[in-house]
């Protein structure tokens, strides 16, 4: 039986770990807050009291943590993954972090006998619950193939996109597209409401044409009700747009539209709305049109 050490049992990690346990993997789960570990133990996993405990017996370690410093600490820290993993362990980092940090982790892993792939995901909490995530994987061919059975348990579309760090670069592009699309859907809702259009009917017909997209399909209904429970928090999207901006700067590529939406997300986070779902961009669109009471 393959043993998976799973670190980071939050909105995404908890259902991913539960799906792995449900598929017959032995899952040793660790999270900073204990309640999440207890919940995994009720769902067929086993509780680990530290990173070291989750990792020592693992053939595969999966991390699903918020940001680059969290992953760097958990992986490279004195009590971290590299210090405790068996020789030849495969580390799959599913967090969304900076591509340069993923490349550094792959190099540090190679020095410690740990194979590392970056495998950020898209599909949100529901995709994680359904085991239907889209996963963009960076790393050496053989390591990505070794990671595939685990990734195909938590995801439906698993694509090797290039060497270490490439998964994160593709994920940054994903986050640009998602933020830009949410903003355009939000502006369209405000525009349609200002004209007194039946917005539910409008969303239905728009979703069937060239303007159709996953935000209209999955988020527009909640947006029409001004329901912004996360899902994916604005503060995490703020982090991701920072990653995209920095990576674009490294490559000498401007992101004009992406920069505008980055600033709108930054404004929402700065004023304390970072805990809302990223569809909360509509709240700002309402206010910019003088309709603050809609949200
Ligand atoms: P989250 O904040 O719900 O979960 C992160 C978990 O990691 C928390 O339970 C936290 O307690 C734990 N944690 C943090 N530092 C730790 C440490 N040092 N040791 C052990 N546990 C620690 O976040 P999330 O929404 O699950 O997102 C995780 C990652 O996945 C992020 O990089 C995010 O950008 C990405 N992501 C999220 C979504 C989404 O819809 N929520 C979708 C795709 C990708």
């Amino acid at each position: 039986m393959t043993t998976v050490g799973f670190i980071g049992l939050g909105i995404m990690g908890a259902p991913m770990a539960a799906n792995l346990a449900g598929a017959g993997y032995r899952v040793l789960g660790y999270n900073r807050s204990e309640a999440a570990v207890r919940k995994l133990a009720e769902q067929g996993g086993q509780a680990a009291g530290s990173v070291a405990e989750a990792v020592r017996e693992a053939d595969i370690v999966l991390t699903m943590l918020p940001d680059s410093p969290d992953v760097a600490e958990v992986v490279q820290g004195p009590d971290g993954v590299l210090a405790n993993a068996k020789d030849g362990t495969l580390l799959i980092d599913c967090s969304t972090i900076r591509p340069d940090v993923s490349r550094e982790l792959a190099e540090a892993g190679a020095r410690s006998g740990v194979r590392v792939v970056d495998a950020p995901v898209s599909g949100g909490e529901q995709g994680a619950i359904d085991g239907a995530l889209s996963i963009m994987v960076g790393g050496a061919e053989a390591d990505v193939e070794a990671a595939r059975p685990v990734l195909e348990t938590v995801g439906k579309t698993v694509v090797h996109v290039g060497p270490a760090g490439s998964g994160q670069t593709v994920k940054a592009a994903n986050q640009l597209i998602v933020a830009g699309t949410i903003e355009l859907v939000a502006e369209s809702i405000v525009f349609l409401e200002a004209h007194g259009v039946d917005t539910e009917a409008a969303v239905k017909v728009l979703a069937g044409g060239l303007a159709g997209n996953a935000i209209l399909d999955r988020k527009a209904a909640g947006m029409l009700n001004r329901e912004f429970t996360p899902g994916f928090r604005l503060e995490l999207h703020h982090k991701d747009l920072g990653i995209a901006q920095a990576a674009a700067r490294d490559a000498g590529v401007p992101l004009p539209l992406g920069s505008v939406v980055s600033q709108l997300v930054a404004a929402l986070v700065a004023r304390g709305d970072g805990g809302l779902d990223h569809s909360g961009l509509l709240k700002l669109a309402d206010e910019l049109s003088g309709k603050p009471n809609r949200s």
Side-chain angles (χ1 to χ4, degrees):
M1 185 191 271
T2 305
T3 298
V4 178
F6 202 115
I7 303 162
L9 303 167
I11 290 179
M12 298 296 285
M16 290 167 72
N19 283 338
L20 287 169
Y25 287 95
R26 176 178 178 235
V27 181
L28 295 168
Y30 174 68
N31 193 72
R32 204 165 41 187
S33 57
E34 229 181 285
V37 180
R38 277 198 302 272
K39 188 163 173 226
L40 176 67
E42 285 161 17
Q43 294 173 316
Q46 292 176 32
S50 64
V51 171
E53 226 179 90
V55 162
R56 258 186 227 124
E57 294 173 26
D59 307 297
I60 294 176
V61 175
L62 212 143
T63 43
M64 194 48 164
L65 297 160
D67 201 352
S68 305
D70 307 304
V71 179
E73 172 64 23
V74 163
V75 174
Q76 294 179 286
D79 299 318
V81 175
L82 298 186
N84 288 285
K86 296 187 292 195
D87 210 34
T89 298
L90 178 64
L91 169 60
I92 307 172
D93 178 33
C94 289
S95 327
T96 303
I97 63 170
R98 289 187 354 229
D100 59 311
V101 174
S102 285
R103 284 192 291 273
E104 259 170 53
L105 293 176
E107 285 161 19
R111 289 194 294 275
S112 303
V114 171
R115 302 171 288 154
V116 183
V117 300
D118 48 298
V121 309
S122 177
E125 184 181 15
Q126 197 57 49
I129 293 168
D130 297 342
L133 296 166
S134 188
I135 311 184
M136 29 227 118
V137 197
E141 178 79 35
D143 299 343
V144 173
E145 286 317 304
R148 192 173 282 282
V150 160
L151 293 176
E152 287 184 344
T153 303
V154 297
K156 208 162 61 181
T157 308
V158 179
V159 182
H160 183 198
V161 293
S166 308
Q168 298 296 352
T169 307
V170 175
K171 174 69 186 182
N174 183 85
Q175 293 306 79
L176 264 182
I177 294 169
V178 171
T181 307
I182 291 175
E183 177 59 20
L184 286 173
V185 169
E187 291 178 15
S188 299
I189 289 172
V190 173
F191 163 73
L192 290 165
E193 287 175 348
H195 280 281
V197 170
D198 174 344
T199 41
E200 273 179 43
V203 164
K204 194 170 167 194
V205 70
L206 288 170
L210 189 57
N213 63 73
I215 305 302
L216 276 178
D217 294 345
R218 294 199 220 153
K219 289 201 173 274
M223 290 168 80
L224 291 179
N225 291 327
R226 270 52 178 189
E227 170 56 57
F228 303 131
T229 308
F232 188 67
R233 297 193 305 278
L234 275 163
E235 62 199 6
L236 283 177
H237 215 140
H238 180 53
K239 167 203 54 135
D240 294 351
L241 292 169
I243 292 170
Q245 295 277 349
R249 180 177 279 258
D250 283 349
V253 172
L255 301 174
L257 208 51
S259 300
V260 172
V261 74
S262 295
Q263 293 303 309
L264 296 172
V265 170
L268 281 158
V269 171
R271 71 182 203 178
D273 277 333
L276 297 182
D277 187 67
H278 49 174
S279 56
L281 274 162
L282 176 56
K283 208 174 162 190
L284 200 53
D286 278 332
E287 289 170 19
L288 290 173
S289 303
K291 305 275 188 234
N293 297 329
R294 285 254 162 82
S295 290

